[in-house]
Each structure stands twice: as structure tokens, then as C-alpha cells.
Amino acid sequence: MLQQPILFTYSLLSLLLFTLFGCATPPVPKSNPPTSIEPSTASQQYRPFSSATLYNLLLAEIAGSRGFYDIAFKNYLEQAYKTRDVNLAKRSADIAQTLKLPTKARLQSAILWAELAPTDGTAQQQAGLELLNANYYMEALEKSILAEQLGKAPFYIDIASKIADIPEANVRLLDAINQQLEKQPDNLQLLTAKGLLLLSHSPDKSLAVAHKIQKKSNNYIPAFALEVDALIKAKQYQNAKQKLEKLIDQNRENQNFRLQYARLLTTMNLPNEALEQFQQLRQIFPNNHQLTLSVALLEHELGNRQEAKRLLLILDQQPSLQSEANYYLGRLAIDEKQPELAEQYLAKVTSGTYFLTAQKWRFRLLLDEDKTAAANKLIQSLHQQYPKFVPALILMELATYRQYKQHQLTIERSSALLDQYSDNIGLHYERGMAYMETGQIAEMEKDFRQVLEQQPDNADVMNNLGYSLLNSEQADITKAAPLIKKASTLKPDDPVIMDSLGWLEFKLGNHQQALKYLTKAFKLYPNDEIAAHLGEVLWVLGKHRKANKIWQQGLKIKPNSQAVKSTKERLTGNAQP
């Protein structure tokens, strides 16, 4: 049910009558949020408001009745703080919530209301949701527990959904959820929240949680949604598809399953089927602009560019989606080789998820036309326009130079910036990568060691450093081995790191172990460099036919692969397939 808007309809007479007698609630001393529910033992006191408070409340009502809601809210909140009156606190919280005031305003008023009404479940619930909105997830969990104790619906699932993909937050919240489950082992919301937190790193455990919930309740919808999410995360797409088709058939009114199904079909690269589902959803929810965006992107993928453009231009009129719409309009213009039109659209992406990516495309368009001076001018302009994005823009610039193989420029630019930002590990990483590409191993090692000092568990940097040390002209296996092995421990299923581990075992003379790792790596990630390594191991083991077959596969992946050709020529005297 939609929350009804607040109406400022007090007459002056009713307001004065209300304020002359004051609120029939005791002043409550400021305190931290309670962790348990205890009845108040304080005797109730009744007192009138001061004349200053009456005046400010009257101003608030007049301001509200004339549409100056910011003034009304400010006055109510100030008087709530001064008087510690729970009704004023509630009113300020209601105004902030209904008028969708900025996060800080909603949070302040909700926290005050909850503080002054420690046994009001609605107050605790609203404070918790605002804490969650402001990313205070552990505090939000405490409020959710308290709200449930007071008979209101908890929001454990909302909390878990928001931070499930943030590793540190995930670990802390999962630990707290497990502790609460010791007290409430049959709480379905808590169990679902646990399952959601397990999704990112243990989809099999998440699936087990979903099945456990279903045994406790065979009609708890979130458990079925969790099961599907776990199947998708485990890449059991066909099983997830069959499950969703069954759920859609059994729950015709639940459009969330259809949305989940449409997204799965997109993941499975079935754009025609996905488009059909999104179009059905769009008929049901014609004002849902996110669905329109999904349809536009699928139309583009299916080659229906004009229809995609038509829909995106409609979305360009929606303030909440303008940046996304212009980003995709820009990408359409790039595909149609219209760089000037692409620049016009991409320049309108001033916020949101695609802001940095849009600026990267603008930068690349200029580099593609050899307009280096214009590209540098664009970067300087962006630094001035968006100062809070300067660190990210710097790294975007350097990563783009590296992609364009302008390694010396990357080294010079990052070295100059390190004079200003000496502790920026991103700069050390980009310069280290450029040193790696140019074979300057000693310099690369210094930069990568700097990164690892601040990020000791960065498996990718560890692997790059270890592999480069292993493959350099002055190969140092004693340095390389611990780095590659630790990287493998941190990311055991990463095929790139698996390739490094296999190559290390080969260099150590452990050919069978090398064959095992490289075979698995090539299966997970068919790549020409892995093919070169695997082929060499097979050749050394006397399996020449298999080696040639693998090299041929590598050349199909990348026809001009120097890794495959140089390896084959060195071992066979012939670089040709």
C-alpha cells in the first residue's frame, strides 16, 4: 500500500490548542539505542511548550501549508531535539520520509524518533531502514532485530541483499547473522539472509540453505528465489531455467520470477526469448523505465538498432535514467562509426554507474583519431569539473594508455603523478604493468612490491610479479615460486594463475603436475599463451601429436600468436601449423 502524503491542514486555532497544553509525553533523556526491551520506570511528566517552541511550530505549519517543506522540516526537527518530544520527532521523521528528503535528513529524524520511542516497533523499523540506506549495515541489523522483537517486520533480507558483494561487510554481517540464528534457528528471514551472503563465495552452501528453508516452509517465496540465484551463481543455468519455468507456472501473479527468468535468458545468451519476457513485463508495468532499458539493450543486441535508439531517446526524458540512456546512445553512435555524435551523447553522462566508462570512451575516441592533445585537454577539463573523481580518472587515463600500448607514456605520466600522489597504489600498479610489458623487470618488481605492501592478498599482482620473475632472462624461481603458490592459494580456480602454477611446475621439472594444471587451465580459459605452455609440456613428455593439436587450437584462438609460433619453432624448427 502506498504511504499517504502528509497534509499540513492544522488550523491556527487547533494548533494553538495543541501547543498550549503540550504533548502528553514525557521528556526522554538522550541515550544509545537499546539492545533489549525494558519497560520505562520513569514517572510521566506533562509540561507546556515554551513560547519560542510554539512560535517555531507555528512557523513550521505555515511553511508547510505554503509548500516550503524544507523550512517546515527544519523547524520540526530543531524543536524535537530541543524539547525531546516524541510526537515532534515522529512528525519530522514522517515529513522527511514522505517528501523523500536527502539521506542525512531522513536518517537524523528517524534516529531521533527511535531514540525517543525505544518501544515503538515502527520507529525502530524506520530508523533501521534509513541506517541501511546510509550504509550503516551493522547498526541496521540491530534495529531489524529490535523491530522484530516489537512485532514489526524485520528486514534482514534487505540488508543482506545490499552488501552481499562487499567482501569485508559480507564476512561481518554473516558472522552476526549466524549468532542471531543461534537464538532464532527457525527464523526464515535470517536463514534467507544467510543464504544471500553465502551466494558470492559459496553458492553450494547457499543452495543448501535454500533447501533447508523449503523443508521448514514449502510456500516461502524468498527461499525459491534464493535457490534460483544459487543455481545461477553455480552456473547451473539449465537447472535454474527449469526451476523458474515451474515457479512462473505455479505463481502467475509473481512477476519477480518472470523478471529473474528474463535476466537468466539474457545470461544464457538467448536474446529473443529474453526479449519476449521483458516485453511481457513491460506490458504489465508500462511505467517501469528499467524494463524499457532492458528491452532497448536486447533490441540492440538483436541488431534492431533503430528500435533500440527510439526507446533510449524516450528514456533520455527520464531524469533517473538520463545518464544510462545517453551512455548507450553514445555506444550506438560508436557502433555506427559516428564519433562526433557519440561524443555529444557521452558528454551528457555526468553521474551514475557509467560515468567513468563514458569518459573512457570519450578519451579513446580522441586517441583513435590521433588527437592526443585534445585527449589530454579532455582529461584536464574532467579533473576540474569532477574533483572527487580525479583519482579514478587518473587510473582510467593510464589504463587506457596501456591498452593502446603506449607504455612509455604510461611510465612517464604515472611517474609524474607519483610525485604528487606518492602513496597511490593504483599508480604503482599501472606503472608496474607498463614496466612488465617493456621487460623492465627490476622496476616492475619495485612497483608491484609497493602494491603488495598495502594489499598483501592481491592475488593478481602476486601472480603477475611471480610469473614475470619466472619468465625473465634472469629467471629467479626462488622468488617466483612463493608468489605464484600463494596467489594460487588465494584464487585456486583462476585459470590465469593456474597457468602460472603449471608453468612453475614445468620449470621445476615436475612435468606430470604441470600437465595437470595446464590442461585444467586451458579447459577453463582457452587462450593462446596457455596453449603454448600446454603444448610445450606435451612435447617434452613425447606426446608430439597432442602438442601439435593444442598449438593448432591456440592459433585458431589467435592466428598471429607469437607465444604459440615462437614455442613451436623453438621445439620443432617450424612455426607453421
Side-chain angles (χ1 to χ4, degrees):
M1 187 174 79
L2 292 175
Q3 192 174 15
Q4 295 300 313
I6 292 176
L7 300 176
F8 291 86
T9 56
Y10 285 115
S11 67
L12 181 58
L13 177 61
S14 64
L15 175 66
L16 289 174
L17 287 172
F18 171 77
T19 52
L20 283 170
F21 292 99
C23 297
T25 54
V28 181
K30 192 171 182 179
S31 62
N32 292 324
T35 54
S36 60
I37 306 165
E38 295 179 2
S40 173
T41 56
S43 60
Q44 290 194 342
Q45 298 175 12
Y46 300 87
R47 59 176 176 74
F49 287 140
S50 68
S51 58
T53 295
L54 292 177
Y55 175 74
N56 279 288
L57 291 176
L58 182 58
L59 281 181
E61 285 300 318
I62 294 172
S65 68
R66 295 185 178 182
F68 298 107
Y69 303 121
D70 54 339
I71 297 174
F73 169 76
K74 179 175 175 289
N75 279 23
Y76 265 112
L77 186 61
E78 283 180 356
Q79 296 311 311
Y81 272 118
K82 287 179 180 178
T83 64
R84 315 300 292 163
D85 185 272
V86 69
N87 284 330
L88 295 183
K90 180 182 184 303
R91 187 147 176 79
S92 64
D94 286 345
I95 294 170
Q97 185 77 17
T98 304
L99 299 179
K100 296 181 180 178
L101 296 182
T103 300
K104 184 178 179 181
R106 297 201 310 271
L107 182 61
Q108 281 182 322
S109 55
I111 291 271
L112 180 62
W113 181 26
E115 179 185 326
L116 298 177
T119 59
D120 186 322
T122 302
Q124 305 309 317
Q125 185 185 58
Q126 187 167 319
L129 290 169
E130 292 303 340
L131 283 162
L132 176 59
N133 187 52
N135 295 317
Y136 295 105
Y137 59 91
M138 293 302 292
E139 292 83 353
L141 177 63
E142 292 175 9
K143 291 295 184 186
S144 183
I145 292 169
L146 186 54
E148 186 176 31
Q149 290 173 349
L150 293 166
K152 294 296 178 180
F155 41 94
Y156 307 123
I157 293 175
D158 304 74
I159 301 171
S161 297
K162 184 163 186 179
I163 60 94
D165 294 324
I166 306 172
E168 184 182 345
N170 185 309
V171 171
R172 286 190 66 199
L173 187 61
L174 183 58
D175 183 56
I177 292 284
N178 281 327
Q179 289 180 35
Q180 192 63 24
L181 277 168
E182 290 178 7
K183 304 172 186 175
Q184 298 174 271
D186 296 324
N187 188 303
L188 301 185
Q189 262 229 37
L190 280 171
L191 285 167
T192 306
K194 177 179 178 176
L196 286 169
L197 293 170
L198 290 168
L199 263 179
S200 61
H201 53 87
S202 301
D204 53 335
K205 292 181 180 178
S206 180
L207 189 60
V209 171
H211 291 157
K212 180 178 180 180
I213 299 169
Q214 289 169 20
K215 286 179 181 177
K216 293 177 181 293
S217 173
N218 60 9
N219 60 356
Y220 186 63
I221 295 296
F224 294 104
L226 175 62
E227 179 185 9
V228 172
D229 281 337
L231 289 169
I232 293 171
K233 199 72 176 179
K235 297 186 177 179
Q236 297 183 36
Y237 297 136
Q238 200 57 44
N239 288 343
K241 184 172 181 285
Q242 291 172 2
K243 185 71 181 178
L244 276 170
E245 287 168 350
K246 185 178 178 181
L247 287 167
I248 289 169
D249 187 55
Q250 293 172 345
N251 301 271
R252 295 275 179 188
E253 301 302 315
N254 190 322
Q255 300 305 326
N256 288 324
F257 287 133
R258 189 175 297 280
L259 179 59
Q260 207 172 9
Y261 185 56
R263 288 173 175 164
L264 172 61
L265 292 170
T266 304
T267 303
M268 294 176 72
N269 197 25
L270 299 170
N272 283 301
E273 293 180 43
L275 181 59
E276 182 183 346
Q277 295 300 319
F278 276 117
Q279 285 174 335
Q280 286 187 44
L281 285 164
R282 197 163 166 246
Q283 288 175 1
I284 299 168
F285 305 106
N287 295 320
N288 187 313
H289 303 303
Q290 285 290 347
L291 292 175
T292 302
L293 178 61
S294 297
V295 170
L297 298 182
L298 285 166
E299 292 285 12
H300 176 239
E301 187 176 342
L302 290 166
N304 305 324
R305 290 181 178 175
Q306 289 306 310
E307 178 61 11
K309 188 173 183 178
R310 184 185 73 80
L311 293 170
L312 289 169
L313 286 170
I314 291 172
L315 292 174
D316 186 29
Q317 305 305 311
Q318 302 300 323
S320 63
L321 283 172
Q322 274 180 339
S323 282
E324 280 185 86
N326 279 291
Y327 171 75
Y328 286 113
L329 284 165
R331 292 297 305 274
L332 271 172
I334 291 170
D335 291 345
E336 293 171 353
K337 302 189 186 310
Q338 296 179 289
E340 291 182 4
L341 182 60
E343 162 61 20
Q344 289 176 27
Y345 286 127
L346 293 170
K348 294 178 184 177
V349 183
T350 57
S351 62
T353 307
Y354 294 98
F355 170 73
L356 286 172
T357 312
Q359 309 321 311
K360 182 176 181 178
W361 275 106
R362 295 176 71 195
F363 189 54
R364 288 182 60 173
L365 286 169
L366 292 170
L367 292 178
D368 285 340
E369 296 181 346
D370 293 323
K371 297 178 178 177
T372 306
N376 291 334
K377 187 176 179 181
L378 170 65
I379 291 295
Q380 291 170 8
S381 172
L382 290 171
H383 285 195
Q384 292 173 356
Q385 284 181 270
Y386 307 100
K388 72 176 183 179
F389 286 108
V390 166
L393 287 165
I394 287 171
L395 296 182
M396 178 274 288
E397 175 193 359
L398 295 175
T400 306
Y401 283 140
R402 182 160 53 82
Q403 287 172 1
Y404 278 70
K405 300 190 182 303
Q406 296 188 22
H407 301 308
Q408 192 56 41
L409 183 56
T410 304
I411 292 167
E412 291 170 4
R413 182 83 172 110
S414 52
S415 296
L417 287 163
L418 277 165
D419 290 338
Q420 186 177 356
Y421 306 101
S422 58
D423 293 330
N424 189 309
I425 59 171
L427 293 175
H428 283 290
Y429 173 77
E430 290 298 340
R431 189 173 68 175
M433 291 295 289
Y435 280 137
M436 183 177 77
E437 294 290 348
T438 53
Q440 301 179 64
I441 303 302
E443 290 81 0
M444 174 212 70
E445 183 176 0
K446 289 176 186 175
D447 275 323
F448 282 172
R449 295 282 184 194
Q450 282 281 106
V451 175
L452 291 172
E453 275 186 23
Q454 294 188 50
Q455 295 182 348
D457 291 334
N458 189 321
D460 296 325
V461 172
M462 214 173 288
N463 177 65
N464 285 340
L465 176 56
Y467 182 77
S468 298
L469 290 170
L470 184 65
N471 260 17
S472 67
E473 289 182 4
Q474 297 83 31
D476 192 336
I477 293 181
T478 56
K479 277 186 178 181
L483 289 162
I484 292 172
K485 287 179 178 178
K486 185 177 179 183
S488 178
T489 301
L490 291 166
K491 294 176 78 172
D493 296 322
D494 187 309
V496 174
I497 296 175
M498 205 178 292
D499 169 62
S500 299
L501 186 60
W503 198 234
L504 171 65
E505 293 293 352
F506 176 69
K507 294 280 189 178
L508 291 169
N510 303 325
H511 295 164
Q512 290 298 332
Q513 194 69 3
L515 180 62
K516 172 187 166 185
Y517 288 128
L518 290 168
T519 301
K520 186 176 179 183
F522 189 65
K523 184 177 180 181
L524 290 170
Y525 179 42
N527 167 275
D528 65 301
E529 192 168 345
I530 300 175
H533 291 161
L534 178 56
E536 182 161 350
V537 173
L538 288 165
W539 186 271
V540 170
L541 288 170
K543 300 178 180 181
H544 294 179
R545 186 176 295 176
K546 285 187 176 180
N548 275 307
K549 186 177 179 182
I550 291 294
W551 286 329
Q552 286 173 4
Q553 289 180 40
L555 288 170
K556 280 185 180 178
I557 295 164
K558 189 176 180 181
N560 294 317
S561 170
Q562 288 305 306
V564 173
K565 287 184 176 181
S566 62
T567 300
K568 192 171 186 294
E569 186 173 16
R570 174 166 49 82
L571 295 172
T572 70
N574 181 12
Q576 299 306 311

